[in-house]
Amino acid sequence: MNCNTTKTMTETAASRARVAVGPDVEIVGITPAWGVASAEGWYDSFISAAAVLQTLETLPTDIDGVVMAGFGEHGREGARELLSIPVVDITEAAAHLAMPLGRRYGVVTTVRRAVGQIEDSLTTAGLIDRCAAIEDTGLGVLELDKDAFATAEAFVAAGQRAIARGAEVICLGCAGMAGLEEHVRDRLPVPVIDGVAAAAALVETLIRQGLSTSKIDSFATPLAKLRSWSA
Amino acid sequence: MNCNTTKTMTETAASRARVAVGPDVEIVGITPAWGVASAEGWYDSFISAAAVLQTLETLPTDIDGVVMAGFGEHGREGARELLSIPVVDITEAAAHLAMPLGRRYGVVTTVRRAVGQIEDSLTTAGLIDRCAAIEDTGLGVLELDKDAFATAEAFVAAGQRAIARGAEVICLGCAGMAGLEEHVRDRLPVPVIDGVAAAAALVETLIRQGLSTSKIDSFATPLAKLRSWSA
Amino acid sequence: MNCNTTKTMTETAASRARVAVGPDVEIVGITPAWGVASAEGWYDSFISAAAVLQTLETLPTDIDGVVMAGFGEHGREGARELLSIPVVDITEAAAHLAMPLGRRYGVVTTVRRAVGQIEDSLTTAGLIDRCAAIEDTGLGVLELDKDAFATAEAFVAAGQRAIARGAEVICLGCAGMAGLEEHVRDRLPVPVIDGVAAAAALVETLIRQGLSTSKIDSFATPLAKLRSWSA
Amino acid sequence: MNCNTTKTMTETAASRARVAVGPDVEIVGITPAWGVASAEGWYDSFISAAAVLQTLETLPTDIDGVVMAGFGEHGREGARELLSIPVVDITEAAAHLAMPLGRRYGVVTTVRRAVGQIEDSLTTAGLIDRCAAIEDTGLGVLELDKDAFATAEAFVAAGQRAIARGAEVICLGCAGMAGLEEHVRDRLPVPVIDGVAAAAALVETLIRQGLSTSKIDSFATPLAKLRSWSA
Amino acid sequence: MNCNTTKTMTETAASRARVAVGPDVEIVGITPAWGVASAEGWYDSFISAAAVLQTLETLPTDIDGVVMAGFGEHGREGARELLSIPVVDITEAAAHLAMPLGRRYGVVTTVRRAVGQIEDSLTTAGLIDRCAAIEDTGLGVLELDKDAFATAEAFVAAGQRAIARGAEVICLGCAGMAGLEEHVRDRLPVPVIDGVAAAAALVETLIRQGLSTSKIDSFATPLAKLRSWSA
Amino acid sequence: MNCNTTKTMTETAASRARVAVGPDVEIVGITPAWGVASAEGWYDSFISAAAVLQTLETLPTDIDGVVMAGFGEHGREGARELLSIPVVDITEAAAHLAMPLGRRYGVVTTVRRAVGQIEDSLTTAGLIDRCAAIEDTGLGVLELDKDAFATAEAFVAAGQRAIARGAEVICLGCAGMAGLEEHVRDRLPVPVIDGVAAAAALVETLIRQGLSTSKIDSFATPLAKLRSWSA
């Protein structure tokens, strides 16, 4: 489930997810019909969250689990209330795979304004304790594809700053970076993790183990009430 | 700025805000044109946040500050990016007034599912350290008005549970409770705070002191990009 | 309530407080009859706390609330036990107004030894979580007035260090700095907050809302016993 | 890699791991040649850690990853230094799968003395923040198999205590409990997670994604020196 | 250094300290010439801190170290600034001896209002992490001696509450309780620590090892300035 | 109790311990019969812990207390379960003596890989809160004696880095550094603490006060079971 309306990013993320799961798993990329071309900051993120949740209301019934493919974006807990299938966010997934690999992990993201938002997302997921640094490249989400070389350069520089602050593993801090790990892994002395691949594998694992969202208390099914999606 | 579409709640909140500010201050109650009849849980909250932010995009230019009148609801940081005037959320405002009055404070809210959401909101605002307890009454937002006596009974019982857990001040945990403090203050041995009144007074104070949101880094004005609000 | 015996600082603080409150509010500056000419460090702070508390024992009965005008100084909780009217400390007040304006705030204070003391004061007030930095100017409390230009220079330099550490709002870290914000606001890219003005406004707000210190448990009225104030 | 010398527990754990991974994955159960019949407390755990690490020194070269199958037991970080393949501990793995399913998780373990040890293990793994409770059944590791009914009864009772303390997901707190989840899932209103299955799936995922332990700083290969394993 | 003006308490504390140190160590009990008959709460504590600090200004030059004998009372950091000899507070000392003996410790103190103050003292000393509970007996400082049996009963009951909350060691939470440990040790299943004895031994140890307060930054000698101790 | 098999280090540590205790105290240096020549990192530490615990199983009955002389090494809690006499680890002991001397302390250790391990040891001991920095000299344990001058140089440089990060007291971060404090104290502006001397004095104090490990819950005597120490 892409968090923005840019279909090429949906395709990129879906293709990375396909590599991460078993041959018997079908990945369907979904793009919200409205929202933001890219999510950069809380304002975009809250618009994105609503668009994503409305999209998930009509999720095909044969879907067994959902990857929320927005790094640091909102909506995660709402999707858990709405759905009875597993929901994994790429922000938390990257941390879940990073933590067994090194003492502390770092995140390299896009623009400065995303840093605090990612920090909030990791904090509310209970995963901030071992996050050594969240560094930005200064590149906007839609700039990442413009110049693959410059993007890799900026990523490596930010990754080195995170390592200097104690990171022993680096997470790609944007769904739009999926695939970039292949170009930077040989240039950084630590493992580099793609949250999209991580989340796809975690959803597959939860499904195989017959596990899904706890429906007591926090993520119980939403109460019936009047809701409207536009004026 | 009400977080839901129930106009009577907008009026209640606006009337409480009016009592809290100086005679020269005009309070305008605003209701989003779409969204949820009441916000209870993350799912509702994310819909609410988008509706509120779209509403704030066309805020009259003569407004000097905004009260976000949803207890524990999302959108706060997005409004700070979007606007150049002060934005205060009733969740944080209640805590800001509670903390100088007692060693720890408690929150009494509506339904169980709101508890974790309020905890997240206080955590990301940096105000959770002195929160002793968040207790629910079990009453939905729209049930609060149905039976004033039963609501007061349920509030007092939950307040006593919060006090037993260390709270020395109690915050009304829902904008729809505004005014209830007058009916429970004589039945609880601690101060009872209405976040709507608290936020209105804080916005007035910030305006009088010429203070507004910091626009470096986290809450800089949103980047120009393609955004749409419905399919 | 000034924390030291320097009457000119009482006047400065009182004049800043007057600007912060409504026209119907009267501000009375009070100077302790004994204690320290300036409070710099724990040793001074504890002398100051006792002198302030003795002064507050004979507070005129027509006073409706108290501003504790010592940044990081002790006494706050003792005044809450002693009095039945609202008591707000400028240290906490500055943080309460700073937090809604930016993701993290910083404090710029006088001498190095005050840093740990301010950190303790914000910690015991439950407000340290969003404090990014406490920086000192190296100027003693009584040096602040000597050379307005040099003081502003030192403040701006320390403020920039705090911003580099993540502060998005800066608090004046000494009552003696009240007024300085007007000279530095245009030289720092973030809001600058005066704790004296902040505390005066918060006390006014608490009074208007009929709120005062919780008298159960922590801040109950002191027990009757033999107390003496000098050998 | 079982943490104790009880071969039947190695078999149970291996069989659970097999269910959790793809058909192309071979699981080899390994039992240390010396150590403790069961690990219950720090004393046993440290003996176990050394025995496990000595065993791992001669790990067959065709092994691609290791599951450390002792809940709360030591050795995890040492194995990461020693080996260049992924190492996942069942304690952390259970938490990694639990956290996306509910707001907080709980652990139900064997004896009281294991509680603090599990708390330390989750703390040093950076995963304690969302742990609501660690409850013991009072049953020793080797008692778990004696009476399946009594074990399930004790587990359900302890699980309900954890839920009352805020857990929305429950983790089996002992490798010897593997399989028990099938008997208790219908008696507890929350997901129940087996750390052995969780760890096996995480190791498989890390291998598929070409990820392994970061070898800079903390988990660099041990330095060459004189080491002996017995008097 | 007693924190209050009750000479019998000075003698009790001094006698307990004598038991705790080597035969070559002389203990001199000092009582402030003014202040509070007993310190119970912040208000008393701040008066006490000033009286104690004034007394320490004229400390005989042949004193080699100071025990601050007020549990949870203020003044500790001020004494460290003022003096060049080691200063140990009984609050922290009790925790320093308790922590190597059990996973978590508890404190049993006098009145309810002292609980928060002790929590602050342990927090600013960096020792709160392993404090499981601070329980009060409801007995005032000067009531402790009235009925030895009733005091022991109340202490044991409060100690059992602390154990139920996770304490594996109990600290006497008042200097006036010194000696009580002998009457309750056989009635509680955990070690019971007297902070006075603990602090005396720690001061002796620091002196023997040639260690004293660090005089850089926080506890540098107070600046020269005008200070007065009474109107 | 040395953590490694290097007898000269046992002697050095024992000689430092002798200086720290009263004339009536006999110090017996014990070296494990197997294990690691030096403990550097978790892998070594876990081997060391088992060797130390096996050695402690046959501790002479006339020993009254144990110093665990490995800085940051494992085994501490296991020894507390096994023995009924006081057990103090030099890591925690150094912190216990450092904390009353300055606002924050730092540790200067040997190699980079020891840093995280020491951080874990201080964290699980509840003493990390006031640890400002753990810096490494880059010198291995067995290199410390090679060139006394170079070792002192490296220690002073690392100590200055710790001071720059806020340390007001420095702890020797390796038992093999015992004695080094005498060569560096005049070159660093802060107290320098030897954990071996600190732990010896703390054990002596606990014994004199009739205090020993709490045997309820966490550190109860190990359960009877089959344990073997080698294949």
Side-chain angles (χ1 to χ4, degrees):
Chain A
M1 179 75 234
N2 185 8
C3 67
N4 65 41
T5 57
T6 303
K7 289 192 166 50
T8 55
M9 285 184 62
T10 310
E11 282 324 304
T12 307
S15 65
R16 303 307 300 180
R18 283 184 192 102
V19 177
V21 296
D24 57 330
V25 179
E26 183 184 355
I27 299 288
V28 182
I30 303 178
T31 308
W34 57 278
V36 290
S38 66
E40 297 164 312
W42 285 271
Y43 175 68
D44 288 348
S45 188
F46 289 126
I47 301 172
S48 159
V52 163
L53 290 174
Q54 185 178 23
T55 306
L56 291 176
E57 285 198 320
T58 55
L59 195 66
T61 55
D62 60 351
I63 297 285
D64 300 313
V66 174
V67 168
M68 301 281 279
F71 205 95
E73 305 315 332
H74 292 80
R76 179 175 63 197
E77 295 85 0
R80 288 181 180 145
E81 287 176 276
L82 179 64
L83 303 171
S84 58
I85 53 178
V87 174
V88 176
D89 159 29
I90 64 174
T91 324
E92 63 193 356
H96 286 305
L97 287 205
M99 290 167 76
L101 300 182
R103 182 165 177 77
R104 287 197 168 77
Y105 67 93
V107 174
V108 173
T109 187
T110 55
V111 292
R112 186 95 185 84
R113 67 200 310 136
V115 171
Q117 200 188 331
I118 291 169
E119 185 188 352
D120 282 354
S121 183
L122 290 167
T123 298
T124 53
L127 296 169
I128 199 70
D129 183 65
R130 291 297 161 127
C131 181
I134 305 172
E135 296 285 336
D136 66 281
T137 56
L139 297 171
V141 172
L142 302 182
E143 290 176 280
L144 295 170
D145 291 339
K146 284 191 181 149
D147 178 342
F149 180 77
T151 297
E153 286 298 307
F155 189 95
V156 168
Q160 285 161 340
R161 293 197 302 274
I163 290 168
R165 291 176 61 187
E168 295 182 355
V169 184
I170 299 292
C171 302
L172 301 178
C174 175
M177 291 177 174
L180 184 62
E181 67 276 19
E182 297 185 356
H183 302 87
V184 298
R185 275 179 177 159
D186 57 350
R187 297 182 57 191
L188 288 169
V190 299
V192 177
I193 291 177
D194 167 23
V196 176
L202 284 175
V203 169
E204 178 184 16
T205 294
L206 292 170
I207 294 167
R208 289 195 195 288
Q209 298 194 18
L211 294 167
S212 191
T213 306
S214 179
K215 302 305 284 186
I216 62 166
D217 297 340
S218 298
F219 304 136
T221 303
L223 303 169
K225 68 181 60 169
L226 197 64
R227 295 179 179 96
S228 61
W229 291 93
S230 64
Chain B
M1 179 75 235
N2 185 7
C3 66
N4 65 42
T5 56
T6 305
K7 289 192 165 51
T8 55
M9 286 184 61
T10 308
E11 283 324 304
T12 307
S15 65
R16 305 306 301 180
R18 283 184 190 101
V19 178
V21 296
D24 57 330
V25 179
E26 183 185 355
I27 299 288
V28 182
I30 302 179
T31 308
W34 57 279
V36 289
S38 66
E40 296 164 311
W42 285 271
Y43 175 67
D44 287 349
S45 189
F46 289 126
I47 301 171
S48 161
V52 163
L53 290 174
Q54 185 178 25
T55 306
L56 291 176
E57 285 198 320
T58 55
L59 195 67
T61 56
D62 61 350
I63 297 286
D64 299 314
V66 173
V67 168
M68 300 281 279
F71 206 95
E73 306 314 332
H74 291 80
R76 178 175 64 197
E77 296 84 0
R80 288 181 180 145
E81 287 176 277
L82 179 65
L83 304 170
S84 60
I85 54 178
V87 174
V88 176
D89 159 30
I90 64 173
T91 325
E92 65 194 354
H96 286 305
L97 286 206
M99 290 166 76
L101 300 181
R103 183 167 177 77
R104 287 196 169 79
Y105 67 93
V107 174
V108 173
T109 189
T110 54
V111 292
R112 186 94 183 84
R113 68 199 308 133
V115 171
Q117 201 188 333
I118 289 168
E119 185 187 355
D120 282 354
S121 183
L122 290 167
T123 298
T124 54
L127 296 168
I128 198 72
D129 182 66
R130 290 299 163 126
C131 181
I134 305 173
E135 296 285 337
D136 66 281
T137 55
L139 296 171
V141 172
L142 302 182
E143 291 176 280
L144 295 170
D145 291 339
K146 286 193 182 148
D147 177 342
F149 179 77
T151 297
E153 286 298 306
F155 189 95
V156 168
Q160 285 161 339
R161 292 195 305 272
I163 290 168
R165 290 175 61 187
E168 295 181 355
V169 184
I170 299 290
C171 301
L172 301 178
C174 175
M177 291 176 175
L180 183 62
E181 67 276 19
E182 297 184 357
H183 302 88
V184 298
R185 274 182 178 158
D186 55 351
R187 297 181 55 193
L188 287 169
V190 300
V192 178
I193 292 178
D194 168 23
V196 176
L202 284 176
V203 169
E204 178 185 16
T205 294
L206 291 170
I207 294 167
R208 287 195 196 288
Q209 297 194 20
L211 294 166
S212 191
T213 306
S214 179
K215 303 304 284 187
I216 62 167
D217 297 339
S218 299
F219 304 136
T221 303
L223 303 169
K225 68 181 60 168
L226 196 64
R227 296 180 178 95
S228 61
W229 292 92
S230 63
Chain C
M1 179 76 233
N2 185 7
C3 66
N4 66 41
T5 57
T6 303
K7 290 193 164 49
T8 54
M9 284 184 62
T10 310
E11 282 324 305
T12 306
S15 66
R16 303 306 301 180
R18 285 185 188 100
V19 178
V21 296
D24 57 330
V25 179
E26 183 185 353
I27 300 288
V28 181
I30 301 178
T31 309
W34 56 279
V36 291
S38 65
E40 297 164 313
W42 286 270
Y43 175 68
D44 287 350
S45 189
F46 289 126
I47 301 171
S48 161
V52 164
L53 290 174
Q54 185 179 26
T55 307
L56 292 176
E57 285 197 321
T58 55
L59 195 67
T61 55
D62 61 350
I63 298 285
D64 300 314
V66 174
V67 169
M68 301 281 279
F71 205 95
E73 306 314 331
H74 291 80
R76 179 175 64 197
E77 296 85 358
R80 288 179 180 147
E81 286 176 276
L82 179 64
L83 304 171
S84 58
I85 53 179
V87 173
V88 177
D89 160 29
I90 64 174
T91 325
E92 64 193 355
H96 286 304
L97 287 206
M99 289 166 76
L101 299 182
R103 182 165 177 77
R104 287 198 168 77
Y105 67 93
V107 174
V108 173
T109 188
T110 55
V111 292
R112 186 98 184 81
R113 67 199 309 133
V115 171
Q117 199 187 333
I118 290 169
E119 185 186 353
D120 283 354
S121 182
L122 289 167
T123 298
T124 53
L127 296 168
I128 199 70
D129 182 64
R130 290 298 163 125
C131 181
I134 304 171
E135 296 284 336
D136 67 282
T137 56
L139 296 172
V141 173
L142 301 181
E143 291 176 279
L144 295 170
D145 290 340
K146 286 196 180 141
D147 178 341
F149 180 77
T151 297
E153 286 298 306
F155 188 95
V156 168
Q160 285 161 339
R161 293 197 303 273
I163 290 167
R165 290 175 61 188
E168 295 181 356
V169 184
I170 299 291
C171 301
L172 301 177
C174 176
M177 291 175 175
L180 183 62
E181 69 275 18
E182 295 184 358
H183 302 86
V184 298
R185 274 180 178 159
D186 56 352
R187 297 182 55 193
L188 288 168
V190 300
V192 178
I193 291 177
D194 168 23
V196 176
L202 284 175
V203 170
E204 179 185 15
T205 293
L206 292 170
I207 294 167
R208 287 196 196 286
Q209 298 193 16
L211 294 167
S212 191
T213 305
S214 179
K215 302 304 284 185
I216 61 165
D217 297 339
S218 298
F219 303 136
T221 303
L223 304 169
K225 68 182 60 171
L226 196 66
R227 295 179 178 95
S228 63
W229 292 92
S230 64
Chain D
M1 180 75 235
N2 185 7
C3 66
N4 65 42
T5 56
T6 304
K7 289 192 166 49
T8 54
M9 285 185 61
T10 309
E11 283 324 305
T12 306
S15 65
R16 303 307 301 181
R18 282 185 192 102
V19 177
V21 295
D24 57 330
V25 179
E26 183 184 355
I27 299 288
V28 182
I30 302 179
T31 309
W34 56 279
V36 290
S38 65
E40 296 164 313
W42 285 271
Y43 175 67
D44 288 348
S45 189
F46 289 127
I47 300 171
S48 160
V52 163
L53 290 174
Q54 185 179 24
T55 307
L56 291 176
E57 285 198 320
T58 54
L59 196 66
T61 55
D62 60 351
I63 297 285
D64 299 313
V66 173
V67 168
M68 300 282 280
F71 206 95
E73 306 314 332
H74 292 79
R76 177 175 66 197
E77 296 85 358
R80 287 179 181 147
E81 287 176 277
L82 179 64
L83 304 170
S84 59
I85 53 178
V87 174
V88 176
D89 160 29
I90 64 173
T91 325
E92 63 193 356
H96 286 304
L97 287 206
M99 289 166 76
L101 299 182
R103 184 166 177 76
R104 288 198 168 77
Y105 67 91
V107 174
V108 173
T109 188
T110 55
V111 293
R112 186 98 184 81
R113 68 198 310 134
V115 171
Q117 198 187 334
I118 290 168
E119 185 187 352
D120 282 354
S121 183
L122 289 167
T123 298
T124 54
L127 296 169
I128 198 71
D129 182 64
R130 291 299 162 125
C131 181
I134 304 173
E135 295 285 336
D136 66 282
T137 56
L139 297 172
V141 173
L142 302 182
E143 292 176 280
L144 295 171
D145 292 339
K146 286 194 182 145
D147 177 341
F149 179 77
T151 297
E153 286 298 307
F155 189 95
V156 168
Q160 285 161 339
R161 292 197 303 274
I163 290 167
R165 291 176 60 189
E168 295 181 355
V169 184
I170 300 291
C171 301
L172 302 177
C174 176
M177 291 177 175
L180 184 62
E181 67 275 20
E182 296 184 359
H183 301 86
V184 298
R185 275 181 176 159
D186 56 351
R187 298 182 53 192
L188 288 169
V190 300
V192 178
I193 291 177
D194 168 23
V196 176
L202 283 176
V203 169
E204 179 184 16
T205 293
L206 292 170
I207 293 167
R208 288 194 196 289
Q209 297 193 19
L211 295 166
S212 190
T213 306
S214 179
K215 303 304 285 186
I216 63 166
D217 298 338
S218 299
F219 304 136
T221 303
L223 303 168
K225 68 183 60 171
L226 197 64
R227 297 180 177 97
S228 61
W229 292 93
S230 63
Chain E
M1 180 74 233
N2 185 7
C3 66
N4 65 42
T5 58
T6 304
K7 290 193 167 50
T8 54
M9 285 185 62
T10 309
E11 283 323 305
T12 307
S15 65
R16 303 307 301 180
R18 284 187 190 99
V19 177
V21 296
D24 58 329
V25 179
E26 183 185 353
I27 300 288
V28 182
I30 301 178
T31 309
W34 58 279
V36 289
S38 65
E40 297 165 312
W42 285 270
Y43 175 69
D44 287 349
S45 189
F46 289 127
I47 299 171
S48 161
V52 163
L53 290 174
Q54 185 179 26
T55 306
L56 291 176
E57 285 197 322
T58 56
L59 196 67
T61 55
D62 60 351
I63 298 285
D64 299 314
V66 173
V67 169
M68 301 281 281
F71 206 94
E73 306 314 330
H74 291 80
R76 178 174 65 198
E77 296 85 359
R80 287 180 180 145
E81 286 176 278
L82 180 63
L83 304 170
S84 59
I85 53 179
V87 174
V88 176
D89 160 28
I90 65 174
T91 325
E92 64 194 354
H96 286 305
L97 287 205
M99 289 165 76
L101 300 181
R103 183 166 176 77
R104 287 197 167 77
Y105 66 93
V107 174
V108 174
T109 189
T110 54
V111 293
R112 186 96 184 83
R113 67 199 308 133
V115 171
Q117 201 187 332
I118 290 169
E119 185 187 353
D120 282 355
S121 182
L122 290 167
T123 298
T124 54
L127 296 168
I128 198 72
D129 182 65
R130 292 297 162 127
C131 181
I134 304 173
E135 295 285 337
D136 67 282
T137 56
L139 296 171
V141 172
L142 302 180
E143 290 175 280
L144 295 170
D145 291 341
K146 287 194 179 144
D147 178 342
F149 179 77
T151 297
E153 287 299 305
F155 189 95
V156 168
Q160 285 161 339
R161 292 197 303 274
I163 290 168
R165 290 176 61 188
E168 295 182 356
V169 184
I170 299 291
C171 300
L172 302 177
C174 176
M177 291 176 175
L180 183 62
E181 67 275 19
E182 296 184 358
H183 301 86
V184 298
R185 274 181 177 159
D186 56 352
R187 298 181 54 193
L188 288 169
V190 300
V192 179
I193 291 177
D194 167 24
V196 176
L202 283 176
V203 169
E204 179 184 16
T205 293
L206 292 171
I207 294 168
R208 286 194 198 287
Q209 298 194 19
L211 295 165
S212 191
T213 306
S214 179
K215 302 304 284 186
I216 62 166
D217 297 339
S218 299
F219 304 137
T221 303
L223 304 169
K225 68 182 61 169
L226 196 65
R227 297 180 177 96
S228 62
W229 291 92
S230 63
Chain F
M1 179 75 233
N2 186 6
C3 66
N4 65 41
T5 57
T6 304
K7 289 192 165 50
T8 54
M9 285 184 62
T10 309
E11 282 324 304
T12 306
S15 66
R16 304 306 301 180
R18 285 185 189 100
V19 177
V21 295
D24 57 331
V25 179
E26 183 184 354
I27 300 288
V28 182
I30 302 179
T31 308
W34 57 279
V36 290
S38 65
E40 297 164 312
W42 286 269
Y43 175 67
D44 288 349
S45 188
F46 288 126
I47 301 172
S48 160
V52 163
L53 290 173
Q54 185 179 26
T55 306
L56 291 176
E57 285 197 319
T58 54
L59 196 67
T61 55
D62 61 350
I63 296 287
D64 300 314
V66 174
V67 169
M68 300 282 280
F71 205 95
E73 306 314 332
H74 292 79
R76 180 173 63 197
E77 296 84 0
R80 289 180 180 146
E81 287 176 277
L82 179 65
L83 304 171
S84 58
I85 54 178
V87 174
V88 177
D89 158 30
I90 64 174
T91 324
E92 65 194 354
H96 286 305
L97 287 206
M99 290 166 76
L101 300 181
R103 184 167 176 75
R104 286 197 169 78
Y105 67 93
V107 174
V108 173
T109 189
T110 54
V111 292
R112 187 94 184 84
R113 68 198 311 132
V115 170
Q117 200 187 333
I118 291 169
E119 185 187 353
D120 282 354
S121 182
L122 289 167
T123 298
T124 53
L127 296 168
I128 199 71
D129 182 65
R130 291 298 161 127
C131 181
I134 304 172
E135 295 284 337
D136 68 282
T137 56
L139 296 171
V141 172
L142 302 181
E143 290 176 280
L144 295 170
D145 291 340
K146 285 193 180 146
D147 177 342
F149 179 77
T151 297
E153 287 297 306
F155 189 94
V156 168
Q160 285 161 340
R161 293 196 302 273
I163 290 168
R165 291 175 60 186
E168 294 181 357
V169 184
I170 299 291
C171 301
L172 301 178
C174 175
M177 290 176 175
L180 184 62
E181 67 276 18
E182 296 183 358
H183 301 87
V184 298
R185 274 181 177 157
D186 57 351
R187 299 181 56 193
L188 288 169
V190 300
V192 178
I193 291 177
D194 168 23
V196 176
L202 284 175
V203 169
E204 179 185 15
T205 294
L206 292 170
I207 295 167
R208 287 195 196 288
Q209 298 193 19
L211 294 167
S212 191
T213 305
S214 179
K215 302 304 284 186
I216 61 166
D217 297 338
S218 298
F219 303 136
T221 303
L223 303 169
K225 69 183 60 167
L226 196 65
R227 296 180 178 96
S228 62
W229 291 92
S230 63

